[in-house]
Structures are given as structure tokens and as C-alpha cells.
Amino acid sequence: MGTINHGYIDRVKYVLFCEQLGYETIITEPIGWDNDNKELARVTDYDGIIAKFSNSLKFIGDGADYITLAYDLYDVMASIKLTKYERHPRTDKWVRSYWGYLDLMTRKWESNQLSVKFNSGGLQDDIKSREDENVEIDRTTTINGLSIAPIAENEVFLQGRRIFLKSTWEVKNTDNSVFLAVYSNAGNTRSQTQGVPMAYTASSHEQGQFVLPEARGDEVTGTTGMMFLANFDRTRDINIKSAGFSFKPTIIESDWQWAHFNFAVSVYENGSDYNLKHRTNIFVAGENSTTTPNLWDINNKTIQIPAFDIPITVEEGDSVALEFMIKADLKNYTENRARFYVQVNEIKGTLYAEEDSNFPASTAKCYLAHDLLNQLTTICANKNKVFYSDYFGRTDLGYPVDGPGAYIATTHGFAVRGFNKLPLPDPDNGVENLYKPLTTSLRDALSSFKSVLNVGVGIEEINGKERVRVEDLSYFYNNNVTIKLPNQVKKLTRATATDYYWPSIEVGYESGGNYEEAQGLDEPNGKSNFTTFINKGKNVFSQLSKYRADSYGKEFARRKPYAKYPTEDTKYDSDVFLLDLFKNPAGNFEERLWFNKYDRSKDDFDKAPTGIFSPETATNLRFSPFNMLLRHGWILAASLKKFATEKIRYGSSTANSQLKTQLIGGNEYAENGDIINTEIGKPRFVSEWIEFEHECNFDIMQMVQGTTKINGKVIQNFYGTVEFINERNQIEKGFLFNLKPNESKWKLLKSNR
């Protein structure tokens, strides 16, 4: 039982409760309560958080003693809640009218009075002080050391993204000749090969390399420097293509019985042994031949090689060369050695390797969005059960239905590659493991989900306990009237809400779009820029996700699996990737495609996307920048309502802007397309501030701080609209952004009718 001090005024009482002390006390009214600037304010970073602030309150007697005791025992970490209760004017029951937390960092003694700032505190302060901390998501303690349950891990089946790879090699004018030579003193048959010297100028294949001018082999064996593609990791089908080559061979020595000169694409096997597997001749000239040009017919003449397209299949360990080859049965000289020398000059040409590339399916560990946010809020707040979200909620967690974001998940590069925390690294015994857990901050998680999905964040109190709530942003701008002011307002002013006019828009992702591993832009999930009809001011509507949603980046990481590359890192390893998932009939997770291969009635899109390679394997299409723009459309529409026939116009992109998609029931849009203002959604508010004065008596504050059940869900009243009687004696509505109850001052963002 706690100690209760009954020295309170009959109609009002103030209660202090320190969580660590475990008991509450009723105190004398703090000095400054009625003349400070308590405030309810919407925090625009997340739209849903309502903060309460105050100047310093001064405590005397029992209040000062209680705070001092808590401070002496727990220093600034003492969590002290101050609550004001008033008797209901009609029922005479005690009703809570105001509450907040003391900030002991502002504690000050002066003239036997303890002054300390009173603010929203509690969970909001806990979250704010820790939201930028990067934490390993699989930890089992909070930042302050409280034991917590491990985060739930799920496994997702990754079918893989087909990727078009195109690599380019060019013969440079500064290095465009080779010299081939064979000789013998005993009339032997000799051969020599030499790779066409080429620079690797566009690198989609990690097996690609420069071809060295002095690298030579023979008819059946090559060397590393000859290969333009070296040591493949798996079986792959590739097309070797060119628009044409030319070269000028000159025969310098010709002591042969017979001889020939070849220009060919050759595949070698066995890794570094480079044994010839097969050779595809593109051009052959031979002495005494009836089917090929005679060697002397090509001597000192420019040979034009027409365009070619040679399909080849390579297996693990194979390498590929574009090469010149000479072979001769040399004369048997008794005194001098016989020789066949060819100088090839003026080599010109460009070579391409093209591949419709795929990789075997795999699985990866992932974390569903609700689990991730729950774990992060628990870690930061040092408390359990402080997160709630119908949007990300799932029936297996006790929610009545699966929310729209129930199966949105995150993973990271290490997990995609199949790394695991086991085996533990043991350098002394040669055991290496590069694995690091998914590491992120609460701020990055919330801002990324806000950017991609247009969700908002609020802190609410249910049955005396605070929790973080994440919902679709419309939840925090509810069109229903939840606060009605009974009297005509006074001193009303209207002003342009300049922060809600955006000449420029940027949506998408901080990373993704262009890759060293693939030539050209095919991945759509990068950053896109648009402009609006508004040309006043310099505001930028910026929604850029810290998390990635590019299937190319994820796929390139996946193609470096732990099983083959346990000690090799990639630039994607620590990146966090978003996954748009569904449960297949067996109850396992797969990535969403444009169609549902098990049930076409559950398709996400009306038809196959265009403007993208392999649309049937493309993932995260709902997360494309233009589809993000559509989700944020009703916000952008606030300043565009009067310009219905104008457009939001595409500016630029770091990614594939040719993609076109059409969501079920929607219009088809290109990532580089424009959109008419009327198509981006109906705005819930317009860009106008309305400020006025209206009394904040007991009933009104109970209404402001109360809740309303709408469509079966309880929402905080300050997320609905405020209905008031304006200066023209007309009923008008707006969304509450700021309220100073002691000054009776209100600030609303005008509601759209």
C-alpha cells in the first residue's frame, strides 16, 4: 500500500506517481499550473504524435519532498507522472483532465521551491531519446538491459529475379595488334593461340576481365590473360555477339608443309588449367585448302568479319576467349629451324556478352513489419507491450484481421546470402563467419514505412498505459467530427499553410536503381523527381526510404551465397531490404509478383507490367516510386485542388522509368509519366491555417482528450475533425494542430469539404 497524502482541494487534486517508487501521492497544487503554456501539438514528422509541453512548475511541501526522494534514489532516470484530476461538474466523480511527466534534467531548487519542467514525457521521451540508436534486431535485452523475448524469425522462399546482363569489350587504338609465331627444327606440327586484346568497358559479368596483349596458349591449352570471361561459378547460357570485327594479317615467315589461320570463340574448362572444351571458328584461312580462303589471299589485306551471334553454354570453372590461332606442319630443315610468323595489325571491333541470367531459388530469414516495429519500440522504450498497429497487425498476434501491411517484411544482405550466426567465428581454429545481424534504428524503420506506405505514428494511452500506434496516415486525419465547439469562435485569422505547398516532389529510395553488375537501367525502385503546377516557394515533398526495395540489389546479393562465398563480403550485406510477401496455400511466405500464381483472383495488377525485363519475375512492384506517389496523393492534393486539370509532371529518375503498371481497379501509369491532379486522390485538408480563440472548459478538454468509437475502432478525438462556428456564423471544420488550453488558443488545418 502506498502512502496517500489527503491534503487536496475539494474540486481539484494533483497526483504524483513514480514508477520506480511504486506508489502515488496527492500533493498541493504546483505553482504556475494555471498560467503556464501547456500545449497540445501535432508533430509533423509523423503526423500522429500529440505532444504536451509546459514551462517549469514549482513544487513545495509534499510535492517537493516526493520528487526529491525519487531523485535521490533514481537520479534523472526517475519516471514521475503528474496528473490533474477534477470533479465532474455533473456526476461529481473524479475525472482525469491533464497528465504528463516531469523532466528531472530541468530540476532546480530556489527559495525553498523545486522547479521542474512538465512535458509529455513518458513513452514519447523514451522513444525520442533512443529512436536514432542503431540496434541489432536479434538482441534479447533492451538498451537499459531489460530481458525481452527474441524477435520472431520467418523464412521466405526467394524464387529469384531474372536479370539481363550485357558486358562490353572494345579493342583500343593504342593496343590493336598481336604477333603469333611457331617454329621447329624437326618438322613438327606446332600451334599458338592469342587472345584479341580488349578493354573491359561495361561490366555486367563479374567473370569479365581485360585481355592482355601478350597472353598466349596453344591449340588445346589457354592462359588466364587470354580470357575475356574467366572461371564461371555455375552453368550459364550466354550469347557472344558483335556487329563485326576487322584486322590485317601479314605473313612474315612461311616454312610450312601446310598451315592455317583462325579467328574463333573458344571455351576452356577446369578453372586455371584452361583445357580446350570446344572452339567455334568465325574465320579460317588455310594453305592448299579448297573450302577456305588461301593464306596468301589474305596476306597483308584487311579482313572484314561480319556480325556474329554465338550461343554458348558454360559450366562451373569454364572460361571464354576470343582468339587468333595459327597452326602449321613445319618443314624439316636440318640446319635452320622452320618458322610460321603472322603479324596481325589494325584490329578493330567491339564484343558483347549477353545473358538472360537466373540463379537457383533459395530461402532467407526475414522479419515481418509488426514484429520489427514491436521489437524496436520495446528496445528503445525499455518496456514490453508498447506497440500496436491494425495496419501491420495479424490474426496470429490476436488482431481480428490481417492488416494491409501484415505480410510486409524486412531482411538484409547477409540473410539473403544465407549467412547465419552459426558457426561462431573462431579464428584460432580457422573458422570464419562474416555474419552480422540486421541492424537498424527505430527512426529509419518508421520513416521508411512512412515513405513507402504512407503510414503515420502516434502515441496513445489505453487504460492508463501508453503505446506507440502505427496506422495508415488517414487514421490520424479522420474525417468524422469528434470535437464540437459550442460557441462562435473569436479573433479568427486565416493564413496560407505554406508548408503544404510543394513545387517539387521526390519519392523512392536513397539506394537502388543503377548497378555495376548490370548494364543499363532496368530496376525501377530508385529515386524519382516530379514537379507540380505550384511554382511558388522551394518546398520539396520528400519521401525517401532508408530501406531498399530494389529486387536487383537483393538478387545480386543472393547470387553470392554463403555456401560458395563464406569469406567474401558484398556491398549489400548490411543493407535492409523490404519484402512484399504473401502466404502460399501451404502457409509459407513467397514474394508477391504482379499476379498470384495460386489464385488469379488475388492479383495485385490488372495486367502484366511493361517496360521491364522479365516482368513475370519482378518483385516489389507495389513499392515503385510512382505507386508510392499514388499512396501519398491525397496529401499532395491539398494544394492542387483548384488546379484540377493541371498535372504532376515527371522530371527524372535514378532507375528504370519505362516501367508501366496498372493496379487492380486503377489506371495504367508509367514511372516517367505525368498524372492529372484529379487522379491523385481527394484531399482531406486544404492548405490553410485557421487560428481562433474559444474557451477550454472542463467539458471541452474532456472532449479533446477523449476517444470516439468509429466503425468499431476507438480513435483519439484529436485525430478527428474539430467543428466550430466561424466568423460568418457558419459551421466549419479543421484538423487540430495546436491547442493552448490556458490561453484558449486553437490552430487548425482547414478540412476539405
Side-chain angles (χ1 to χ4, degrees):
M1 294 292 292
T3 301
I4 302 293
N5 177 2
H6 295 284
Y8 57 85
I9 301 174
D10 186 51
R11 304 301 303 176
V12 179
K13 67 178 179 181
Y14 299 85
V15 176
L16 288 175
F17 173 73
C18 174
E19 184 177 335
Q20 292 93 331
L21 290 177
Y23 67 90
E24 66 181 27
T25 184
I26 300 171
I27 64 168
T28 304
E29 178 177 340
I31 299 170
W33 179 272
D34 290 328
N35 57 15
D36 70 358
N37 52 356
K38 289 185 290 292
E39 182 178 12
L40 293 152
R42 192 182 290 259
V43 178
T44 54
D45 281 352
Y46 298 130
D47 289 284
I49 297 176
I50 297 294
K52 312 178 186 77
F53 303 95
S54 172
N55 288 335
S56 292
L57 299 176
K58 294 181 180 179
F59 296 85
I60 58 174
D62 44 14
D65 292 342
Y66 186 88
I67 296 168
T68 299
L69 174 62
Y71 178 81
D72 288 344
L73 292 174
Y74 305 108
D75 209 278
V76 296
M77 297 303 293
S79 176
I80 306 175
K81 185 176 183 180
L82 172 62
T83 306
K84 178 184 179 181
Y85 292 89
E86 296 182 62
R87 287 195 184 276
H88 195 284
R90 290 174 291 281
T91 67
D92 215 34
K93 292 182 178 180
W94 287 113
V95 177
R96 188 177 61 163
S97 62
Y98 220 92
W99 62 94
Y101 290 80
L102 304 185
D103 181 3
L104 294 180
M105 294 292 285
T106 65
R107 167 184 168 274
K108 183 179 179 181
W109 269 104
E110 187 176 7
S111 302
N112 292 322
Q113 295 178 342
L114 177 63
S115 67
V116 61
K117 190 172 181 179
F118 167 76
N119 55 41
S120 56
L123 186 57
Q124 180 179 325
D125 275 2
D126 293 339
I127 294 297
K128 282 291 182 183
S129 66
R130 301 294 195 184
E131 65 180 351
D132 290 314
E133 297 284 345
N134 282 307
V135 297
E136 294 179 353
I137 199 62
D138 64 351
R139 63 187 291 162
T140 55
T141 60
T142 67
I143 289 177
N144 290 354
L146 176 70
S147 293
I148 56 175
I151 187 172
E153 278 189 340
N154 292 278
E155 191 169 84
V156 56
F157 173 77
L158 301 175
Q159 178 62 52
R161 176 80 168 92
R162 283 174 51 207
I163 295 177
F164 180 71
L165 302 179
K166 184 175 182 179
S167 294
T168 307
W169 293 260
E170 296 179 13
V171 179
K172 300 296 185 181
N173 291 333
T174 55
D175 194 5
N176 65 347
S177 64
V178 298
F179 180 72
L180 298 103
V182 293
Y183 48 85
S184 172
N185 290 326
N188 303 108
T189 299
R190 301 286 192 225
S191 63
Q192 185 178 88
T193 53
Q194 179 158 348
V196 177
M198 296 182 294
Y200 191 25
T201 56
S203 54
S204 286
H205 292 84
E206 63 178 307
Q207 294 80 16
Q209 61 181 24
F210 283 70
V211 181
L212 303 179
E214 301 300 325
R216 298 184 177 94
D218 58 32
E219 186 179 16
V220 295
T221 306
T223 57
T224 300
M226 293 172 54
M227 310 300 160
F228 66 89
L229 289 167
N231 198 13
F232 277 91
D233 59 339
R234 65 187 188 279
T235 299
R236 298 161 76 163
D237 294 320
I238 300 174
N239 283 68
I240 308 303
K241 304 173 71 172
S242 176
F245 266 78
S246 64
F247 46 82
K248 186 176 183 180
T250 300
I251 301 171
I252 299 175
E253 300 285 350
S254 55
D255 302 329
W256 62 65
Q257 302 290 343
W258 57 260
H260 58 76
F261 169 89
N262 295 35
F263 177 64
V265 170
S266 298
V267 177
Y268 293 84
E269 63 182 348
N270 297 332
S272 59
D273 292 339
Y274 300 112
N275 298 320
L276 180 69
K277 196 170 184 179
H278 58 81
R279 176 174 286 116
T280 301
N281 287 318
I282 301 171
F283 175 82
V284 179
E287 176 64 7
N288 300 325
S289 172
T290 59
T291 59
T292 60
N294 188 281
L295 277 173
W296 294 109
D297 291 340
I298 69 168
N299 184 40
N300 210 30
K301 294 179 181 177
T302 298
I303 306 301
Q304 298 289 343
I305 304 296
F308 56 84
D309 183 348
I310 301 172
I312 62 172
T313 297
V314 294
E315 297 176 315
E316 184 175 353
D318 285 355
S319 302
V320 189
L322 179 68
E323 61 189 17
F324 293 110
M325 185 183 80
I326 61 172
K327 184 177 181 180
D329 180 12
L330 297 167
K331 293 180 179 179
N332 189 356
Y333 290 150
T334 57
E335 296 182 0
N336 298 315
R337 63 183 180 182
R339 291 168 288 195
F340 177 28
Y341 295 168
V342 179
Q343 176 72 45
V344 184
N345 294 322
E346 300 177 20
I347 305 170
K348 297 179 182 178
T350 301
L351 188 71
Y352 305 97
E354 295 182 356
E355 180 183 0
D356 180 348
S357 173
N358 57 64
F359 194 82
S362 62
T363 59
K365 300 294 185 184
C366 67
Y367 307 102
L368 295 175
H370 190 287
D371 300 332
L372 177 78
L373 292 172
N374 178 70
Q375 195 77 350
L376 287 170
T377 52
T378 299
I379 290 170
C380 292
N382 200 46
K383 296 174 183 175
N384 286 298
K385 298 181 179 179
V386 290
F387 178 74
Y388 185 89
S389 174
D390 285 322
Y391 185 89
F392 290 119
R394 311 190 305 272
T395 55
D396 63 282
L397 297 174
Y399 290 85
V401 295
D402 288 336
Y407 298 129
I408 291 170
T410 58
T411 187
H412 69 315
F414 276 117
V416 168
R417 295 178 61 195
F419 277 78
N420 203 312
K421 64 178 66 177
L422 298 176
L424 296 175
D426 187 1
D428 293 338
N429 293 303
V431 179
E432 293 188 67
N433 190 348
L434 300 178
Y435 175 79
K436 293 180 180 178
L438 189 154
T439 301
T440 186
S441 69
L442 179 59
R443 179 186 291 277
D444 285 353
L446 291 173
S447 66
S448 294
F449 288 129
K450 176 177 174 63
S451 294
V452 177
L453 304 170
N454 195 24
V455 294
V457 186
I459 291 180
E460 62 183 15
E461 187 174 289
I462 303 295
N463 298 324
K465 292 186 177 181
E466 292 181 300
R467 66 185 184 187
V468 175
R469 183 157 190 172
V470 176
E471 302 294 352
D472 186 277
L473 191 63
S474 60
Y475 173 89
F476 302 99
Y477 291 90
N478 193 296
N479 282 326
N480 291 281
V481 175
T482 52
I483 300 171
K484 287 187 177 182
L485 302 183
N487 305 317
Q488 185 175 15
V489 302
K490 301 176 181 178
K491 299 182 179 179
L492 185 146
T493 62
R494 300 176 186 272
T496 300
T498 56
D499 289 346
Y500 290 87
Y501 284 90
W502 299 283
S504 300
I505 302 167
E506 57 178 17
V507 290
Y509 306 87
E510 292 187 2
S511 299
N514 201 358
Y515 309 90
E516 298 173 0
E517 299 94 330
Q519 184 178 351
L521 296 176
D522 188 56
E523 170 60 52
N525 289 347
K527 181 177 77 169
S528 295
N529 294 284
F530 298 84
T531 57
T532 73
F533 184 69
I534 305 300
N535 63 2
K536 307 295 183 182
K538 296 183 178 181
N539 286 346
V540 178
F541 182 84
S542 181
Q543 294 295 338
L544 298 179
S545 170
K546 296 283 187 182
Y547 294 170
R548 307 178 66 138
D550 51 317
S551 57
Y552 268 59
K554 174 163 57 66
E555 181 67 9
F556 287 130
R558 199 178 71 86
R559 294 183 181 194
K560 285 285 189 177
Y562 170 78
K564 281 195 173 184
Y565 305 95
T567 61
E568 184 174 334
D569 58 8
T570 78
K571 60 185 178 182
Y572 306 106
D573 289 345
S574 298
D575 289 345
V576 180
F577 290 91
L578 292 170
L579 301 171
D580 196 8
L581 307 182
F582 74 101
K583 273 190 174 181
N584 63 27
N588 300 316
F589 287 113
E590 294 186 40
E591 290 189 276
R592 298 177 85 101
L593 306 173
W594 77 265
F595 62 99
N596 187 305
K597 58 187 177 182
Y598 302 102
D599 184 351
R600 293 301 305 271
S601 69
K602 297 179 180 178
D603 286 359
D604 289 325
F605 295 87
D606 266 332
K607 59 183 180 179
T610 60
I612 191 172
F613 180 74
S614 183
E616 71 277 6
T617 65
T619 59
N620 284 352
L621 291 167
R622 297 197 302 172
F623 295 166
S624 75
F626 202 97
N627 286 318
M628 289 171 62
L629 177 70
L630 293 176
R631 281 191 285 275
H632 290 277
W634 64 266
I635 304 170
L636 294 163
S639 62
L640 301 173
K641 181 181 177 182
K642 297 177 182 178
F643 312 108
T645 60
E646 299 296 338
K647 295 180 179 181
I648 293 177
R649 299 185 182 276
Y650 170 77
S652 64
S653 175
T654 63
N656 173 17
S657 61
Q658 303 299 315
L659 171 69
K660 288 184 179 180
T661 58
Q662 183 175 358
L663 289 162
I664 293 290
N667 297 326
E668 184 178 46
Y669 295 106
E671 293 295 313
N672 62 0
D674 303 336
I675 183 170
I676 298 173
N677 290 341
T678 53
E679 294 181 11
I680 62 174
K682 181 180 178 181
R684 294 195 171 218
F685 52 76
V686 294
S687 304
E688 179 178 296
W689 293 121
I690 303 173
E691 297 186 62
F692 55 76
E693 292 183 5
H694 188 286
E695 66 174 328
C696 297
N697 58 28
F698 176 88
D699 287 334
I700 289 174
M701 290 309 298
Q702 286 294 300
M703 194 178 350
V704 169
Q705 298 179 124
T707 60
T708 300
K709 196 169 187 178
I710 300 174
N711 296 327
K713 293 184 179 181
V714 175
I715 73 161
Q716 306 291 309
N717 283 346
F718 41 60
Y719 295 148
T721 56
V722 179
E723 184 179 280
F724 63 96
I725 303 170
N726 66 19
E727 72 276 29
R728 295 183 293 276
N729 205 34
Q730 298 171 334
I731 293 177
E732 196 170 351
K733 301 173 186 176
F735 291 100
L736 180 64
F737 263 70
N738 190 278
L739 172 60
K740 295 179 179 178
N742 286 349
E743 301 176 35
S744 299
K745 290 184 177 179
W746 301 68
K747 181 177 182 179
L748 311 181
L749 188 60
K750 181 179 175 66
S751 174
N752 182 38
R753 286 187 261 181

